[in-house]
Amino acid sequence: MPHKKNSSRKHGWFWGTGSTKLLRVRIWSPAAAAAGSSAPSEVEARQWRATMEGYRNSTEVQMSQMVLPCHTNYHGELSIGQLLKWIDTAACLSAERHAGCPCVTASVDDIYFEHTISVGQVVNIKAKVNRAFNSSMEVGVQVSYEDLCNGKQWNVCKAYATFVAQGKPPAKIKLKPLVPQMEEEKIEYSIAAERRRMRLAHTDTIKDLLTNSPVQSEGKNRECNTVVPAEKTRVESVELILPPHANHQGNTFGGQIMAWMENVATIAASRLCHAHPTLKTIEMFHFRGPSQVGDRLLFKAIVNNAFKNSMEVGVCVEAYGHEMEVSRRHINSAFMTFVVLDRGGQPCTLPMLKPEPGDGERRYKEASARKKIRLDRKYVISCKHTEVPLSVPWDQSNKVYLSYNNVSALKTLVAKANWVLASERDKVKMYMLEEDKFLSIRIEMTICIDAKQAFLLLSDMRRRHEWDEHSGRAELVQQVDKDDVIYHVISRTISEENKPQDFVILASQREPCSKGDPYVVAFRSVTLPTQPAQPEYTRGEILCSGFCIWQETEELTKVSYYNQATPGVLAYITTNIAGLSSSFHSTFQACEQFLQKHKDDVSVRFQNL
């Protein structure tokens, strides 16, 4: 998203004058660039390029499928159910390559379908493991399709699935760690921990929204003469699990269950609109338990809510062993969003839905809440962080997703390969990264302090003025949770309007997820109704900045500060890079002294309990 070039909107606080030398080095590998190593010989560079050109991720699985008439729906387009089966198969094969044993689908994140695929076109699926945890792993799947007649390709969707390795009961499989090599792999590896955190918070997010922010139905504001009772959209269907539906252990393929779910959901949606609907989104869902060959699966679907141009269908899956069995096992539930498109590809207006009393009214309200959350996830998470407005409005419903975006933006910047050493003075190194319209800096130092102590000291913005001469008063506005805090910061930097700058900043903190991960403190601008812009200040904004802190040895810790600036503040950063100012250097010398002074201060840890 383009931003206005307004020099009065600053994206950091380390500005000043002075001098330092400019030093450029040639980068010979992503790892070398990240470590700031010296330039290689031409022979070393050629050897590295040859190695990388032939590199392929050991967990990568590629699948290409020609779309045949038997794969299509009533539109002559590839059935989403069939596509889900292919996605699950490719992802499972990738997971098993890493685990070395059978794996089962545990969950699938939101999937947004951007295009439909026609008969005769080719679907290309690429799956690879992004990160392995203890017994589960995240698999990323990229789906595209190509037209063989003109050679053009289009992206269809991107999916993230979690798989669990299965050993012989009661033994649990502990997965070997994944070591990312390329820049893209390092980014996905780092952000996988954030996606995992978000999955665990998904249910609580919906509960919080319904409790703290009562959702208003949009039906009251719609002009529609057609009202369909929800019970008329109800669908029940049973499937007998046969050997072709299961894997080599006899467990039903997750993709097969998803395909059956899509089938009954489509029937329910058709009963509301009396037309052929198109599936646009599948919301994140979890498999709660396995089903085996010989089991019966009972699928129940109903339209939960109909909005102006879309509807949500809920699907519940239960399993039982034989027809006389009374108790049934809940396998999973999912929510799918459908639209009805006219001949021009535009969404049609849908009839209104009259919910059933009791549970139907509850589902109706929850569907409105999920719509809000889907929009938050789509526009805060699914897009690149550079496409998100600088100051996104913060509220209770999107707090998890803004925190995710905040940390993942910083981790993405950290994993970039082409950092160039710009200057070095008194063991403080400054790197720069030129990319598209952004110039980013990284300032790095190694000091004798415990990494967690440094993390706790640098996380508290109320103490920043103790080492940053450009930072003024910081007020804690809201303690969102134990990992996220919102501050109102008044800077000592004077804008071109001759007024101090102020910022409303979301500070997101993360401790290491596994060995080798850094402590992370990420900053980004947000807007709050309680903190409007004041006439006595110039409101500044931060796109992406923060600290990553690594424990290198028992005594030494590496502290790196990152800041990604937009064109409006390039002059400040380039002044330091070109050696015309030593503001960054002096600020981080003060930061080092601050950390050394408080490295044994036990009260810091007690304050953060």
Side-chain angles (χ1 to χ4, degrees):
M1 176 176 289
H3 305 297
K4 294 180 180 179
K5 296 184 179 181
N6 185 346
S7 59
S8 68
R9 294 169 67 182
K10 307 299 187 275
H11 300 255
W13 311 309
F14 306 139
W15 322 123
T17 57
S19 64
T20 186
K21 273 190 174 180
L22 175 67
L23 174 64
R24 288 184 177 270
V25 297
R26 176 162 41 87
I27 300 170
W28 64 279
S29 77
S37 66
S38 58
S41 67
E42 287 300 323
V43 173
E44 290 173 326
R46 282 198 299 271
Q47 288 175 340
W48 180 81
R49 284 194 296 268
T51 301
M52 289 300 102
E53 285 171 3
Y55 171 80
R56 181 171 175 178
N57 188 304
S58 61
T59 69
E60 184 178 301
V61 170
Q62 294 186 14
M63 176 188 291
S64 293
Q65 297 280 0
M66 174 79 76
V67 179
L68 302 175
C70 61
H71 300 140
T72 61
N73 59 21
Y74 31 77
H75 288 304
E77 298 166 346
L78 175 64
S79 161
I80 296 296
Q82 180 62 59
L83 178 59
L84 291 171
K85 289 169 67 173
W86 288 339
I87 289 173
D88 183 68
T89 300
C92 183
L93 292 174
S94 175
E96 291 184 348
R97 274 193 182 179
H98 181 73
C101 64
C103 297
V104 294
T105 314
S107 68
V108 179
D109 288 2
D110 295 359
I111 305 178
Y112 301 95
F113 300 100
E114 299 177 21
H115 296 282
T116 56
I117 308 171
S118 301
V119 171
Q121 294 176 328
V122 173
V123 179
N124 295 312
I125 301 174
K126 184 184 292 186
K128 59 183 176 182
V129 177
N130 291 330
R131 182 162 184 163
F133 299 98
N134 290 325
S135 59
S136 67
M137 68 204 93
E138 180 190 274
V139 181
V141 184
Q142 181 69 52
V143 181
S144 62
Y145 76 95
E146 64 177 307
D147 191 314
L148 296 178
C149 297
N150 57 29
K152 292 183 179 180
Q153 296 195 29
W154 296 264
N155 289 327
V156 176
C157 66
K158 190 168 187 177
Y160 294 101
T162 301
F163 282 80
V164 176
Q166 282 201 321
K168 293 181 179 179
K172 278 193 173 182
I173 299 290
K174 184 171 177 59
L175 295 169
K176 60 185 178 183
L178 190 74
V179 182
Q181 300 295 324
M182 306 300 287
E183 178 183 309
E184 181 187 354
E185 294 173 3
K186 291 177 181 178
I187 291 172
E188 292 289 359
Y189 176 89
S190 185
I191 299 177
E194 280 303 297
R195 284 190 288 264
R196 185 188 191 207
R197 182 178 185 272
M198 187 173 60
R199 290 179 200 116
L200 296 175
H202 176 60
T203 302
D204 290 338
T205 301
I206 294 177
K207 288 180 180 177
D208 287 347
L209 179 59
L210 290 169
T211 302
N212 301 319
S213 305
V215 179
Q216 300 296 321
S217 171
E218 71 171 41
K220 297 178 181 179
N221 302 319
R222 284 180 57 191
E223 294 182 4
C224 182
N225 297 323
T226 307
V227 179
V228 178
E231 57 266 26
K232 287 187 176 294
T233 70
R234 187 180 297 278
V235 179
E236 283 198 12
S237 180
V238 67
E239 297 283 353
L240 174 62
I241 301 174
L242 301 174
H245 304 142
N247 62 16
H248 36 292
Q249 285 194 315
N251 293 324
T252 318
F253 283 119
Q256 179 62 69
I257 296 176
M258 288 188 281
W260 283 330
M261 293 171 73
E262 186 264 346
N263 176 60
V264 294
T266 302
I267 295 171
S270 300
R271 288 180 175 174
L272 176 90
C273 60
H274 299 294
H276 296 308
T278 299
L279 179 60
K280 298 298 290 183
T281 304
I282 298 178
E283 188 174 301
M284 179 190 307
F285 66 89
H286 301 265
F287 285 96
R288 301 175 184 271
S291 56
Q292 291 83 28
V293 171
D295 279 346
R296 282 76 168 163
L297 292 184
L298 179 63
F299 296 85
K300 300 177 181 179
I302 192 170
V303 177
N304 290 330
N305 201 335
F307 308 102
K308 181 178 180 181
N309 299 120
S310 66
M311 69 186 102
E312 181 195 273
V313 180
V315 186
C316 173
V317 186
E318 297 175 340
Y320 57 98
H322 53 81
E323 293 303 328
M324 299 303 293
E325 188 173 316
V326 177
S327 61
R328 292 171 178 170
R329 309 187 307 275
H330 183 197
I331 299 299
N332 73 347
S333 296
F335 303 98
M336 304 184 184
T337 303
F338 289 84
V339 297
V340 177
L341 303 176
D342 60 22
R343 293 184 178 180
Q346 298 302 309
C348 301
T349 301
L350 299 176
M352 293 177 62
L353 185 83
K354 181 182 179 181
E356 297 176 305
D359 280 350
E361 292 174 339
R362 174 186 57 80
R363 291 194 301 267
Y364 186 84
K365 293 178 180 177
E366 289 178 351
S368 295
R370 280 188 290 270
K371 181 183 179 183
K372 165 77 168 71
I373 290 172
R374 276 194 294 271
L375 290 172
D376 287 335
R377 281 207 296 263
K378 183 175 182 180
Y379 292 106
V380 176
I381 294 175
S382 301
C383 59
K384 298 177 182 178
H385 75 276
T386 52
E387 295 172 352
V388 177
L390 288 184
S391 288
V392 176
W394 183 94
D395 63 44
Q396 194 69 22
S397 68
N398 69 4
K399 64 179 183 180
V400 173
Y401 314 121
L402 274 178
S403 178
Y404 168 91
N405 180 267
N406 191 17
V407 175
S408 61
L410 179 60
K411 287 185 172 183
T412 299
L413 190 60
V414 172
K416 294 290 184 181
N418 298 323
W419 289 97
V420 176
L421 181 64
S423 67
E424 182 175 3
R425 182 178 171 186
D426 297 333
K427 298 181 181 179
V428 176
K429 298 178 181 179
M430 181 167 66
Y431 297 83
M432 70 174 186
L433 174 67
E434 297 178 84
E435 190 176 49
D436 298 328
K437 61 182 178 181
F438 295 106
L439 176 64
S440 303
I441 60 162
R442 175 176 113 222
I443 300 175
E444 189 175 281
M445 57 187 177
T446 301
I447 60 177
C448 184
I449 188 175
D450 178 71
K452 184 165 186 178
Q453 184 77 352
F455 166 70
L456 295 175
L457 287 166
L458 295 174
S459 295
D460 191 347
M461 296 196 72
R462 292 168 296 185
R463 302 194 65 173
R464 188 161 184 148
H465 69 278
E466 296 181 41
W467 57 271
D468 180 5
E469 63 179 10
H470 304 286
S471 180
R473 186 176 76 252
E475 174 192 0
L476 193 156
V477 176
Q478 186 164 347
Q479 181 78 46
V480 179
D481 53 37
K482 67 181 182 67
D483 295 322
D484 295 276
V485 184
I486 298 176
Y487 293 97
H488 178 224
V489 178
I490 299 175
S491 171
R492 295 189 182 123
T493 302
I494 304 300
S495 70
E496 290 186 356
E497 299 170 357
N498 200 30
K499 295 187 292 187
Q501 288 185 285
D502 73 333
F503 303 81
V504 179
I505 295 171
L506 172 65
S508 302
Q509 309 161 24
R510 299 289 188 272
E511 296 196 18
C513 179
S514 57
K515 187 177 180 181
D517 286 354
Y519 290 88
V520 175
V521 187
F523 306 117
R524 69 155 297 139
S525 290
V526 294
T527 58
L528 280 177
T530 57
Q531 297 292 325
Q534 300 294 327
E536 62 267 30
Y537 301 113
T538 298
R539 179 58 54 90
E541 292 183 317
I542 296 171
L543 175 63
C544 172
S545 71
F547 293 93
C548 282
I549 304 160
W550 288 267
Q551 187 78 55
E552 295 209 311
T553 67
E554 289 186 4
E555 297 182 348
L556 296 178
T557 291
K558 182 170 74 174
V559 178
S560 293
Y561 171 78
Y562 297 81
N563 194 315
Q564 185 176 55
T566 49
V569 296
L570 289 184
Y572 291 94
I573 293 181
T574 53
T575 298
N576 277 266
I577 291 174
L580 303 176
S581 172
S582 61
S583 177
F584 289 164
H585 175 263
S586 60
T587 298
F588 276 89
Q589 274 195 321
C591 180
E592 180 182 8
Q593 293 167 6
F594 166 76
L595 293 174
Q596 291 284 9
K597 179 181 177 181
H598 298 283
K599 69 177 184 178
D600 297 319
D601 188 350
V602 294
S603 65
V604 174
R605 301 207 175 205
F606 287 119
Q607 291 169 5
N608 288 271
L609 289 177

